[in-house]
Amino acid sequence: MTTFLITGANRGIGLALTAALIARGDRVIATVRDPFKVPGLLRTAPRDQMVLLGLDVRDGRAVSRAAATLDEPVDVLINNAGIFGPERQTALDMDFEGFAETLAVNTLAPLRVAQAFLPHLKQSRVPRILTISSQMGALSGSASGSAAYRASKAGVNKLMQCLATELKPAGIPVVVAHPGWVQTDMGGAGADITPDASAVGLLALADKLTLADTGQFFRWDGSVHPW
């Protein structure tokens, strides 16, 4: 049984990841902002397969407190929690408060969570970190619009690349992954793939990660994404 810690596990890709892991017999430490308001799966999953942790990834103290309550190894950390950002987010018309919140959730929180739970990862024989990013954060693209979201994902890509370099001596691979254009609240009903399909691909990627992969940017299907 492999233990996964998944942020933002109450909906979308996070919930699909959790469902897939429970179905195959793994253990999930599911973080949610409000553990009293969660979908049925998170309430009814077998106790030996599910731990609910209430935390807001924007709150450094809450993340630290949550990590302090956990007394077990974490094999795979999946930084999944994310937001799309404010309505106004072009380079010429930016909601700067909304931009700051987007950076807090999408860029800073994954690093904060990784640092807080690093002692638990170090207890694992095969620790791995996978952060959900987006192709919209690739610098090789030149599309405009959604600038806060794009910048937040470009930022987390670089932070995770730095973390990969610093954790390589400890034997912990760190990667980022584009989950596909997924049919979630963020992606919309017209997106290409279902959350379940994205989850299957992301878990296949997480399962096979080694130090040879560290610092790379992948697609949900396991192929390498250009930076």
mmCIF file of all heavy atoms in Angstrom, residues 84-136:
data_model
loop_
_atom_site.group_PDB
_atom_site.id
_atom_site.type_symbol
_atom_site.label_atom_id
_atom_site.label_comp_id
_atom_site.label_asym_id
_atom_site.label_seq_id
_atom_site.Cartn_x
_atom_site.Cartn_y
_atom_site.Cartn_z
ATOM 1 N N PHE A 84 -8.079 29.434 -10.649
ATOM 2 C CA PHE A 84 -7.824 30.053 -11.950
ATOM 3 C C PHE A 84 -7.469 31.531 -11.822
ATOM 4 O O PHE A 84 -6.759 32.074 -12.663
ATOM 5 C CB PHE A 84 -9.032 29.889 -12.879
ATOM 6 C CG PHE A 84 -8.720 30.284 -14.294
ATOM 7 C CD1 PHE A 84 -7.898 29.497 -15.086
ATOM 8 C CD2 PHE A 84 -9.219 31.457 -14.833
ATOM 9 C CE1 PHE A 84 -7.584 29.863 -16.386
ATOM 10 C CE2 PHE A 84 -8.920 31.832 -16.132
ATOM 11 C CZ PHE A 84 -8.101 31.038 -16.915
ATOM 12 N N GLY A 85 -7.955 32.180 -10.787
ATOM 13 C CA GLY A 85 -7.602 33.584 -10.601
ATOM 14 C C GLY A 85 -8.757 34.525 -10.869
ATOM 15 O O GLY A 85 -9.889 34.117 -11.109
ATOM 16 N N PRO A 86 -8.485 35.819 -10.849
ATOM 17 C CA PRO A 86 -9.539 36.838 -10.938
ATOM 18 C C PRO A 86 -10.127 36.959 -12.340
ATOM 19 O O PRO A 86 -9.564 36.462 -13.318
ATOM 20 C CB PRO A 86 -8.805 38.120 -10.546
ATOM 21 C CG PRO A 86 -7.399 37.885 -10.979
ATOM 22 C CD PRO A 86 -7.136 36.433 -10.710
ATOM 23 N N GLU A 87 -11.261 37.637 -12.414
ATOM 24 C CA GLU A 87 -11.888 37.868 -13.716
ATOM 25 C C GLU A 87 -11.023 38.755 -14.598
ATOM 26 O O GLU A 87 -10.896 38.515 -15.801
ATOM 27 C CB GLU A 87 -13.270 38.498 -13.522
ATOM 28 C CG GLU A 87 -14.299 37.556 -12.930
ATOM 29 C CD GLU A 87 -15.684 38.175 -12.898
ATOM 30 O OE1 GLU A 87 -15.871 39.252 -13.513
ATOM 31 O OE2 GLU A 87 -16.581 37.591 -12.266
ATOM 32 N N ARG A 88 -10.450 39.804 -14.012
ATOM 33 C CA ARG A 88 -9.591 40.716 -14.779
ATOM 34 C C ARG A 88 -8.141 40.282 -14.601
ATOM 35 O O ARG A 88 -7.549 40.483 -13.557
ATOM 36 C CB ARG A 88 -9.765 42.160 -14.301
ATOM 37 C CG ARG A 88 -11.144 42.753 -14.546
ATOM 38 C CD ARG A 88 -11.190 44.238 -14.181
ATOM 39 N NE ARG A 88 -10.927 44.467 -12.769
ATOM 40 C CZ ARG A 88 -9.799 44.971 -12.275
ATOM 41 N NH1 ARG A 88 -8.791 45.286 -13.068
ATOM 42 N NH2 ARG A 88 -9.665 45.148 -10.978
ATOM 43 N N GLN A 89 -7.572 39.692 -15.630
ATOM 44 C CA GLN A 89 -6.174 39.273 -15.515
ATOM 45 C C GLN A 89 -5.459 39.298 -16.858
ATOM 46 O O GLN A 89 -4.847 38.327 -17.280
ATOM 47 C CB GLN A 89 -6.052 37.906 -14.835
ATOM 48 C CG GLN A 89 -6.876 36.767 -15.404
ATOM 49 C CD GLN A 89 -6.451 35.442 -14.790
ATOM 50 O OE1 GLN A 89 -5.266 35.065 -14.806
ATOM 51 N NE2 GLN A 89 -7.405 34.710 -14.246
ATOM 52 N N THR A 90 -5.553 40.442 -17.538
ATOM 53 C CA THR A 90 -4.707 40.651 -18.710
ATOM 54 C C THR A 90 -3.542 41.534 -18.293
ATOM 55 O O THR A 90 -3.558 42.173 -17.239
ATOM 56 C CB THR A 90 -5.471 41.326 -19.860
ATOM 57 O OG1 THR A 90 -5.711 42.701 -19.522
ATOM 58 C CG2 THR A 90 -6.788 40.622 -20.133
ATOM 59 N N ALA A 91 -2.536 41.595 -19.134
ATOM 60 C CA ALA A 91 -1.369 42.413 -18.821
ATOM 61 C C ALA A 91 -1.703 43.905 -18.808
ATOM 62 O O ALA A 91 -0.978 44.704 -18.215
ATOM 63 C CB ALA A 91 -0.251 42.127 -19.819
ATOM 64 N N LEU A 92 -2.812 44.284 -19.434
ATOM 65 C CA LEU A 92 -3.213 45.694 -19.470
ATOM 66 C C LEU A 92 -4.335 46.009 -18.486
ATOM 67 O O LEU A 92 -4.644 47.187 -18.260
ATOM 68 C CB LEU A 92 -3.650 46.080 -20.887
ATOM 69 C CG LEU A 92 -2.564 46.009 -21.958
ATOM 70 C CD1 LEU A 92 -3.147 46.360 -23.321
ATOM 71 C CD2 LEU A 92 -1.408 46.941 -21.609
ATOM 72 N N ASP A 93 -4.943 44.990 -17.926
ATOM 73 C CA ASP A 93 -6.040 45.203 -16.978
ATOM 74 C C ASP A 93 -5.993 44.090 -15.942
ATOM 75 O O ASP A 93 -6.624 43.038 -16.107
ATOM 76 C CB ASP A 93 -7.383 45.208 -17.708
ATOM 77 C CG ASP A 93 -8.547 45.482 -16.771
ATOM 78 O OD1 ASP A 93 -8.319 45.997 -15.661
ATOM 79 O OD2 ASP A 93 -9.687 45.164 -17.158
ATOM 80 N N MET A 94 -5.234 44.316 -14.868
ATOM 81 C CA MET A 94 -4.971 43.272 -13.876
ATOM 82 C C MET A 94 -5.592 43.612 -12.530
ATOM 83 O O MET A 94 -5.423 44.716 -12.006
ATOM 84 C CB MET A 94 -3.453 43.090 -13.696
ATOM 85 C CG MET A 94 -3.069 42.053 -12.647
ATOM 86 S SD MET A 94 -3.649 40.379 -13.057
ATOM 87 C CE MET A 94 -2.585 40.005 -14.454
ATOM 88 N N ASP A 95 -6.323 42.651 -11.972
ATOM 89 C CA ASP A 95 -6.772 42.719 -10.589
ATOM 90 C C ASP A 95 -5.593 42.242 -9.736
ATOM 91 O O ASP A 95 -5.369 41.041 -9.592
ATOM 92 C CB ASP A 95 -7.991 41.800 -10.411
ATOM 93 C CG ASP A 95 -8.453 41.681 -8.967
ATOM 94 O OD1 ASP A 95 -7.738 42.124 -8.056
ATOM 95 O OD2 ASP A 95 -9.540 41.113 -8.755
ATOM 96 N N PHE A 96 -4.843 43.182 -9.183
ATOM 97 C CA PHE A 96 -3.591 42.814 -8.520
ATOM 98 C C PHE A 96 -3.812 42.051 -7.212
ATOM 99 O O PHE A 96 -2.998 41.190 -6.855
ATOM 100 C CB PHE A 96 -2.727 44.054 -8.310
ATOM 101 C CG PHE A 96 -2.046 44.517 -9.569
ATOM 102 C CD1 PHE A 96 -2.576 45.534 -10.326
ATOM 103 C CD2 PHE A 96 -0.889 43.886 -10.022
ATOM 104 C CE1 PHE A 96 -1.963 45.948 -11.511
ATOM 105 C CE2 PHE A 96 -0.266 44.287 -11.189
ATOM 106 C CZ PHE A 96 -0.799 45.319 -11.942
ATOM 107 N N GLU A 97 -4.893 42.336 -6.504
ATOM 108 C CA GLU A 97 -5.180 41.548 -5.305
ATOM 109 C C GLU A 97 -5.508 40.106 -5.694
ATOM 110 O O GLU A 97 -5.061 39.157 -5.045
ATOM 111 C CB GLU A 97 -6.335 42.169 -4.523
ATOM 112 C CG GLU A 97 -5.973 43.478 -3.836
ATOM 113 C CD GLU A 97 -7.092 43.985 -2.948
ATOM 114 O OE1 GLU A 97 -8.118 43.283 -2.809
ATOM 115 O OE2 GLU A 97 -6.938 45.083 -2.379
ATOM 116 N N GLY A 98 -6.288 39.947 -6.753
ATOM 117 C CA GLY A 98 -6.586 38.610 -7.242
ATOM 118 C C GLY A 98 -5.343 37.899 -7.756
ATOM 119 O O GLY A 98 -5.188 36.681 -7.591
ATOM 120 N N PHE A 99 -4.458 38.671 -8.370
ATOM 121 C CA PHE A 99 -3.186 38.113 -8.861
ATOM 122 C C PHE A 99 -2.371 37.588 -7.682
ATOM 123 O O PHE A 99 -1.829 36.472 -7.717
ATOM 124 C CB PHE A 99 -2.424 39.214 -9.608
ATOM 125 C CG PHE A 99 -1.220 38.759 -10.393
ATOM 126 C CD1 PHE A 99 -0.499 39.690 -11.151
ATOM 127 C CD2 PHE A 99 -0.788 37.448 -10.395
ATOM 128 C CE1 PHE A 99 0.619 39.302 -11.881
ATOM 129 C CE2 PHE A 99 0.332 37.052 -11.130
ATOM 130 C CZ PHE A 99 1.031 37.993 -11.864
ATOM 131 N N ALA A 100 -2.317 38.362 -6.602
ATOM 132 C CA ALA A 100 -1.546 37.948 -5.429
ATOM 133 C C ALA A 100 -2.118 36.661 -4.825
ATOM 134 O O ALA A 100 -1.368 35.767 -4.410
ATOM 135 C CB ALA A 100 -1.535 39.058 -4.392
ATOM 136 N N GLU A 101 -3.463 36.557 -4.789
ATOM 137 C CA GLU A 101 -4.075 35.340 -4.261
ATOM 138 C C GLU A 101 -3.766 34.143 -5.163
ATOM 139 O O GLU A 101 -3.514 33.029 -4.672
ATOM 140 C CB GLU A 101 -5.583 35.512 -4.132
ATOM 141 C CG GLU A 101 -6.252 34.281 -3.539
ATOM 142 C CD GLU A 101 -7.760 34.393 -3.472
ATOM 143 O OE1 GLU A 101 -8.337 35.200 -4.228
ATOM 144 O OE2 GLU A 101 -8.357 33.645 -2.669
ATOM 145 N N THR A 102 -3.773 34.374 -6.469
ATOM 146 C CA THR A 102 -3.462 33.296 -7.410
ATOM 147 C C THR A 102 -2.035 32.797 -7.208
ATOM 148 O O THR A 102 -1.780 31.582 -7.213
ATOM 149 C CB THR A 102 -3.659 33.781 -8.857
ATOM 150 O OG1 THR A 102 -4.969 34.331 -8.996
ATOM 151 C CG2 THR A 102 -3.495 32.638 -9.850
ATOM 152 N N LEU A 103 -1.108 33.712 -7.016
ATOM 153 C CA LEU A 103 0.269 33.319 -6.741
ATOM 154 C C LEU A 103 0.374 32.573 -5.411
ATOM 155 O O LEU A 103 1.126 31.596 -5.287
ATOM 156 C CB LEU A 103 1.172 34.551 -6.719
ATOM 157 C CG LEU A 103 1.411 35.245 -8.065
ATOM 158 C CD1 LEU A 103 2.153 36.564 -7.855
ATOM 159 C CD2 LEU A 103 2.203 34.342 -9.010
ATOM 160 N N ALA A 104 -0.392 33.030 -4.410
ATOM 161 C CA ALA A 104 -0.342 32.387 -3.101
ATOM 162 C C ALA A 104 -0.771 30.927 -3.173
ATOM 163 O O ALA A 104 -0.157 30.047 -2.547
ATOM 164 C CB ALA A 104 -1.220 33.145 -2.110
ATOM 165 N N VAL A 105 -1.831 30.667 -3.942
ATOM 166 C CA VAL A 105 -2.363 29.300 -4.029
ATOM 167 C C VAL A 105 -1.563 28.442 -5.008
ATOM 168 O O VAL A 105 -1.202 27.298 -4.694
ATOM 169 C CB VAL A 105 -3.849 29.327 -4.438
ATOM 170 C CG1 VAL A 105 -4.372 27.902 -4.642
ATOM 171 C CG2 VAL A 105 -4.679 30.051 -3.390
ATOM 172 N N ASN A 106 -1.299 28.966 -6.184
ATOM 173 C CA ASN A 106 -0.735 28.146 -7.256
ATOM 174 C C ASN A 106 0.783 28.051 -7.239
ATOM 175 O O ASN A 106 1.342 27.071 -7.736
ATOM 176 C CB ASN A 106 -1.166 28.703 -8.618
ATOM 177 C CG ASN A 106 -2.649 28.566 -8.873
ATOM 178 O OD1 ASN A 106 -3.376 27.965 -8.087
ATOM 179 N ND2 ASN A 106 -3.119 29.146 -9.960
ATOM 180 N N THR A 107 1.444 29.078 -6.714
ATOM 181 C CA THR A 107 2.904 29.126 -6.779
ATOM 182 C C THR A 107 3.556 28.871 -5.428
ATOM 183 O O THR A 107 4.413 27.993 -5.294
ATOM 184 C CB THR A 107 3.366 30.500 -7.318
ATOM 185 O OG1 THR A 107 2.670 30.791 -8.523
ATOM 186 C CG2 THR A 107 4.856 30.498 -7.593
ATOM 187 N N LEU A 108 3.154 29.643 -4.419
ATOM 188 C CA LEU A 108 3.807 29.537 -3.120
ATOM 189 C C LEU A 108 3.350 28.317 -2.327
ATOM 190 O O LEU A 108 4.162 27.670 -1.659
ATOM 191 C CB LEU A 108 3.554 30.803 -2.312
ATOM 192 C CG LEU A 108 4.017 32.112 -2.950
ATOM 193 C CD1 LEU A 108 3.766 33.282 -1.994
ATOM 194 C CD2 LEU A 108 5.493 32.053 -3.327
ATOM 195 N N ALA A 109 2.058 27.999 -2.388
ATOM 196 C CA ALA A 109 1.539 26.898 -1.574
ATOM 197 C C ALA A 109 2.190 25.553 -1.874
ATOM 198 O O ALA A 109 2.493 24.808 -0.935
ATOM 199 C CB ALA A 109 0.026 26.808 -1.719
ATOM 200 N N PRO A 110 2.413 25.177 -3.138
ATOM 201 C CA PRO A 110 3.062 23.887 -3.373
ATOM 202 C C PRO A 110 4.440 23.773 -2.719
ATOM 203 O O PRO A 110 4.797 22.705 -2.199
ATOM 204 C CB PRO A 110 3.158 23.814 -4.903
ATOM 205 C CG PRO A 110 2.004 24.635 -5.370
ATOM 206 C CD PRO A 110 1.936 25.780 -4.406
ATOM 207 N N LEU A 111 5.191 24.872 -2.714
ATOM 208 C CA LEU A 111 6.497 24.837 -2.051
ATOM 209 C C LEU A 111 6.321 24.771 -0.538
ATOM 210 O O LEU A 111 7.031 24.029 0.152
ATOM 211 C CB LEU A 111 7.316 26.070 -2.437
ATOM 212 C CG LEU A 111 8.725 26.139 -1.832
ATOM 213 C CD1 LEU A 111 9.573 24.947 -2.284
ATOM 214 C CD2 LEU A 111 9.406 27.446 -2.202
ATOM 215 N N ARG A 112 5.358 25.534 -0.013
ATOM 216 C CA ARG A 112 5.087 25.513 1.430
ATOM 217 C C ARG A 112 4.700 24.108 1.885
ATOM 218 O O ARG A 112 5.192 23.612 2.910
ATOM 219 C CB ARG A 112 3.970 26.497 1.752
ATOM 220 C CG ARG A 112 3.560 26.518 3.215
ATOM 221 C CD ARG A 112 2.420 27.489 3.450
ATOM 222 N NE ARG A 112 2.872 28.864 3.315
ATOM 223 C CZ ARG A 112 2.413 29.726 2.407
ATOM 224 N NH1 ARG A 112 1.490 29.340 1.546
ATOM 225 N NH2 ARG A 112 2.870 30.952 2.353
ATOM 226 N N VAL A 113 3.831 23.456 1.133
ATOM 227 C CA VAL A 113 3.389 22.108 1.491
ATOM 228 C C VAL A 113 4.550 21.124 1.395
ATOM 229 O O VAL A 113 4.733 20.265 2.267
ATOM 230 C CB VAL A 113 2.214 21.675 0.593
ATOM 231 C CG1 VAL A 113 1.886 20.195 0.788
ATOM 232 C CG2 VAL A 113 0.979 22.532 0.886
ATOM 233 N N ALA A 114 5.338 21.230 0.343
ATOM 234 C CA ALA A 114 6.486 20.330 0.181
ATOM 235 C C ALA A 114 7.464 20.467 1.345
ATOM 236 O O ALA A 114 7.963 19.469 1.880
ATOM 237 C CB ALA A 114 7.191 20.615 -1.140
ATOM 238 N N GLN A 115 7.728 21.700 1.761
ATOM 239 C CA GLN A 115 8.636 21.903 2.888
ATOM 240 C C GLN A 115 8.063 21.327 4.178
ATOM 241 O O GLN A 115 8.761 20.680 4.961
ATOM 242 C CB GLN A 115 8.938 23.389 3.061
ATOM 243 C CG GLN A 115 9.817 23.977 1.975
ATOM 244 C CD GLN A 115 10.133 25.447 2.226
ATOM 245 O OE1 GLN A 115 9.630 26.063 3.166
ATOM 246 N NE2 GLN A 115 10.970 26.017 1.379
ATOM 247 N N ALA A 116 6.765 21.563 4.409
ATOM 248 C CA ALA A 116 6.142 21.122 5.657
ATOM 249 C C ALA A 116 6.120 19.604 5.788
ATOM 250 O O ALA A 116 6.297 19.061 6.893
ATOM 251 C CB ALA A 116 4.724 21.677 5.755
ATOM 252 N N PHE A 117 5.887 18.918 4.670
ATOM 253 C CA PHE A 117 5.757 17.465 4.726
ATOM 254 C C PHE A 117 7.035 16.744 4.294
ATOM 255 O O PHE A 117 7.028 15.514 4.154
ATOM 256 C CB PHE A 117 4.567 17.016 3.876
ATOM 257 C CG PHE A 117 3.242 17.367 4.491
ATOM 258 C CD1 PHE A 117 2.592 18.535 4.131
ATOM 259 C CD2 PHE A 117 2.670 16.554 5.451
ATOM 260 C CE1 PHE A 117 1.371 18.888 4.708
ATOM 261 C CE2 PHE A 117 1.455 16.889 6.042
ATOM 262 C CZ PHE A 117 0.806 18.063 5.672
ATOM 263 N N LEU A 118 8.108 17.477 4.134
ATOM 264 C CA LEU A 118 9.373 16.854 3.747
ATOM 265 C C LEU A 118 9.837 15.800 4.768
ATOM 266 O O LEU A 118 10.329 14.732 4.361
ATOM 267 C CB LEU A 118 10.449 17.919 3.538
ATOM 268 C CG LEU A 118 11.800 17.433 3.027
ATOM 269 C CD1 LEU A 118 11.656 16.687 1.703
ATOM 270 C CD2 LEU A 118 12.759 18.618 2.850
ATOM 271 N N PRO A 119 9.704 16.050 6.069
ATOM 272 C CA PRO A 119 10.106 14.990 7.018
ATOM 273 C C PRO A 119 9.335 13.684 6.810
ATOM 274 O O PRO A 119 9.893 12.596 6.991
ATOM 275 C CB PRO A 119 9.784 15.606 8.382
ATOM 276 C CG PRO A 119 9.872 17.074 8.162
ATOM 277 C CD PRO A 119 9.323 17.284 6.777
ATOM 278 N N HIS A 120 8.072 13.788 6.413
ATOM 279 C CA HIS A 120 7.277 12.584 6.172
ATOM 280 C C HIS A 120 7.719 11.880 4.884
ATOM 281 O O HIS A 120 7.745 10.658 4.817
ATOM 282 C CB HIS A 120 5.794 12.951 6.083
ATOM 283 C CG HIS A 120 5.289 13.687 7.291
ATOM 284 N ND1 HIS A 120 5.439 15.044 7.433
ATOM 285 C CD2 HIS A 120 4.665 13.249 8.414
ATOM 286 C CE1 HIS A 120 4.912 15.415 8.596
ATOM 287 N NE2 HIS A 120 4.442 14.361 9.206
ATOM 288 N N LEU A 121 8.064 12.677 3.872
ATOM 289 C CA LEU A 121 8.585 12.094 2.640
ATOM 290 C C LEU A 121 9.906 11.378 2.886
ATOM 291 O O LEU A 121 10.163 10.309 2.317
ATOM 292 C CB LEU A 121 8.762 13.184 1.584
ATOM 293 C CG LEU A 121 7.464 13.706 0.952
ATOM 294 C CD1 LEU A 121 7.674 15.099 0.366
ATOM 295 C CD2 LEU A 121 6.969 12.751 -0.128
ATOM 296 N N LYS A 122 10.720 11.949 3.745
ATOM 297 C CA LYS A 122 12.029 11.339 4.015
ATOM 298 C C LYS A 122 11.910 10.033 4.773
ATOM 299 O O LYS A 122 12.871 9.261 4.828
ATOM 300 C CB LYS A 122 12.916 12.330 4.773
ATOM 301 C CG LYS A 122 13.417 13.471 3.902
ATOM 302 C CD LYS A 122 14.359 14.388 4.669
ATOM 303 C CE LYS A 122 14.964 15.449 3.743
ATOM 304 N NZ LYS A 122 15.881 16.366 4.464
ATOM 305 N N GLN A 123 10.742 9.757 5.345
ATOM 306 C CA GLN A 123 10.523 8.464 6.008
ATOM 307 C C GLN A 123 10.176 7.362 5.016
ATOM 308 O O GLN A 123 10.161 6.182 5.375
ATOM 309 C CB GLN A 123 9.385 8.593 7.024
ATOM 310 C CG GLN A 123 9.690 9.486 8.210
ATOM 311 C CD GLN A 123 8.482 9.626 9.124
ATOM 312 O OE1 GLN A 123 7.779 8.657 9.432
ATOM 313 N NE2 GLN A 123 8.211 10.840 9.556
ATOM 314 N N SER A 124 9.867 7.736 3.774
ATOM 315 C CA SER A 124 9.493 6.764 2.757
ATOM 316 C C SER A 124 10.727 6.144 2.104
ATOM 317 O O SER A 124 11.775 6.787 1.992
ATOM 318 C CB SER A 124 8.637 7.454 1.687
ATOM 319 O OG SER A 124 8.462 6.623 0.551
ATOM 320 N N ARG A 125 10.578 4.925 1.632
ATOM 321 C CA ARG A 125 11.665 4.291 0.885
ATOM 322 C C ARG A 125 11.740 4.824 -0.537
ATOM 323 O O ARG A 125 12.806 4.813 -1.148
ATOM 324 C CB ARG A 125 11.460 2.771 0.842
ATOM 325 C CG ARG A 125 11.595 2.065 2.179
ATOM 326 C CD ARG A 125 11.479 0.560 2.044
ATOM 327 N NE ARG A 125 10.169 0.154 1.534
ATOM 328 C CZ ARG A 125 9.941 -0.244 0.299
ATOM 329 N NH1 ARG A 125 10.925 -0.301 -0.583
ATOM 330 N NH2 ARG A 125 8.722 -0.601 -0.080
ATOM 331 N N VAL A 126 10.585 5.282 -1.078
ATOM 332 C CA VAL A 126 10.553 5.779 -2.464
ATOM 333 C C VAL A 126 9.743 7.078 -2.540
ATOM 334 O O VAL A 126 8.676 7.116 -3.151
ATOM 335 C CB VAL A 126 9.972 4.716 -3.427
ATOM 336 C CG1 VAL A 126 10.992 3.648 -3.745
ATOM 337 C CG2 VAL A 126 8.692 4.099 -2.860
ATOM 338 N N PRO A 127 10.237 8.152 -1.943
ATOM 339 C CA PRO A 127 9.474 9.403 -1.940
ATOM 340 C C PRO A 127 9.486 10.095 -3.290
ATOM 341 O O PRO A 127 10.474 10.043 -4.024
ATOM 342 C CB PRO A 127 10.215 10.244 -0.891
ATOM 343 C CG PRO A 127 11.627 9.749 -0.961
ATOM 344 C CD PRO A 127 11.512 8.277 -1.232
ATOM 345 N N ARG A 128 8.348 10.744 -3.614
ATOM 346 C CA ARG A 128 8.214 11.463 -4.880
ATOM 347 C C ARG A 128 7.300 12.666 -4.676
ATOM 348 O O ARG A 128 6.395 12.623 -3.850
ATOM 349 C CB ARG A 128 7.575 10.559 -5.942
ATOM 350 C CG ARG A 128 8.456 9.421 -6.450
ATOM 351 C CD ARG A 128 7.613 8.195 -6.841
ATOM 352 N NE ARG A 128 7.268 7.411 -5.675
ATOM 353 C CZ ARG A 128 6.345 6.448 -5.665
ATOM 354 N NH1 ARG A 128 5.640 6.198 -6.767
ATOM 355 N NH2 ARG A 128 6.093 5.766 -4.574
ATOM 356 N N ILE A 129 7.547 13.731 -5.463
ATOM 357 C CA ILE A 129 6.698 14.921 -5.437
ATOM 358 C C ILE A 129 6.261 15.236 -6.860
ATOM 359 O O ILE A 129 7.098 15.370 -7.762
ATOM 360 C CB ILE A 129 7.432 16.137 -4.841
ATOM 361 C CG1 ILE A 129 7.827 15.876 -3.380
ATOM 362 C CG2 ILE A 129 6.557 17.398 -4.935
ATOM 363 C CD1 ILE A 129 8.695 16.975 -2.782
ATOM 364 N N LEU A 130 4.944 15.355 -7.056
ATOM 365 C CA LEU A 130 4.379 15.732 -8.348
ATOM 366 C C LEU A 130 3.462 16.928 -8.125
ATOM 367 O O LEU A 130 2.551 16.865 -7.306
ATOM 368 C CB LEU A 130 3.599 14.568 -8.957
ATOM 369 C CG LEU A 130 3.074 14.743 -10.391
ATOM 370 C CD1 LEU A 130 2.913 13.393 -11.062
ATOM 371 C CD2 LEU A 130 1.737 15.476 -10.419
ATOM 372 N N THR A 131 3.722 18.010 -8.826
ATOM 373 C CA THR A 131 2.900 19.209 -8.720
ATOM 374 C C THR A 131 2.114 19.409 -10.012
ATOM 375 O O THR A 131 2.694 19.392 -11.105
ATOM 376 C CB THR A 131 3.772 20.445 -8.427
ATOM 377 O OG1 THR A 131 4.342 20.307 -7.118
ATOM 378 C CG2 THR A 131 2.957 21.732 -8.475
ATOM 379 N N ILE A 132 0.792 19.576 -9.866
ATOM 380 C CA ILE A 132 -0.056 19.814 -11.026
ATOM 381 C C ILE A 132 0.176 21.243 -11.523
ATOM 382 O O ILE A 132 -0.072 22.211 -10.802
ATOM 383 C CB ILE A 132 -1.542 19.611 -10.697
ATOM 384 C CG1 ILE A 132 -1.780 18.223 -10.085
ATOM 385 C CG2 ILE A 132 -2.383 19.809 -11.948
ATOM 386 C CD1 ILE A 132 -1.414 17.074 -10.971
ATOM 387 N N SER A 133 0.639 21.367 -12.737
ATOM 388 C CA SER A 133 0.887 22.670 -13.347
ATOM 389 C C SER A 133 -0.090 22.855 -14.500
ATOM 390 O O SER A 133 -1.248 22.441 -14.414
ATOM 391 C CB SER A 133 2.337 22.769 -13.819
ATOM 392 O OG SER A 133 2.606 24.038 -14.358
ATOM 393 N N SER A 134 0.348 23.470 -15.571
ATOM 394 C CA SER A 134 -0.485 23.663 -16.755
ATOM 395 C C SER A 134 0.393 24.014 -17.929
ATOM 396 O O SER A 134 1.423 24.688 -17.774
ATOM 397 C CB SER A 134 -1.491 24.797 -16.522
ATOM 398 O OG SER A 134 -2.148 25.141 -17.730
ATOM 399 N N GLN A 135 -0.040 23.598 -19.107
ATOM 400 C CA GLN A 135 0.679 24.006 -20.312
ATOM 401 C C GLN A 135 0.630 25.527 -20.493
ATOM 402 O O GLN A 135 1.453 26.102 -21.205
ATOM 403 C CB GLN A 135 0.092 23.312 -21.535
ATOM 404 C CG GLN A 135 -1.337 23.684 -21.864
ATOM 405 C CD GLN A 135 -1.878 22.918 -23.063
ATOM 406 O OE1 GLN A 135 -1.243 22.001 -23.572
ATOM 407 N NE2 GLN A 135 -3.064 23.289 -23.517
ATOM 408 N N MET A 136 -0.320 26.189 -19.822
ATOM 409 C CA MET A 136 -0.415 27.639 -19.916
ATOM 410 C C MET A 136 0.741 28.333 -19.212
ATOM 411 O O MET A 136 0.948 29.534 -19.386
ATOM 412 C CB MET A 136 -1.758 28.112 -19.353
ATOM 413 C CG MET A 136 -2.943 27.678 -20.197
ATOM 414 S SD MET A 136 -4.545 28.045 -19.432
ATOM 415 C CE MET A 136 -4.587 29.842 -19.606
#
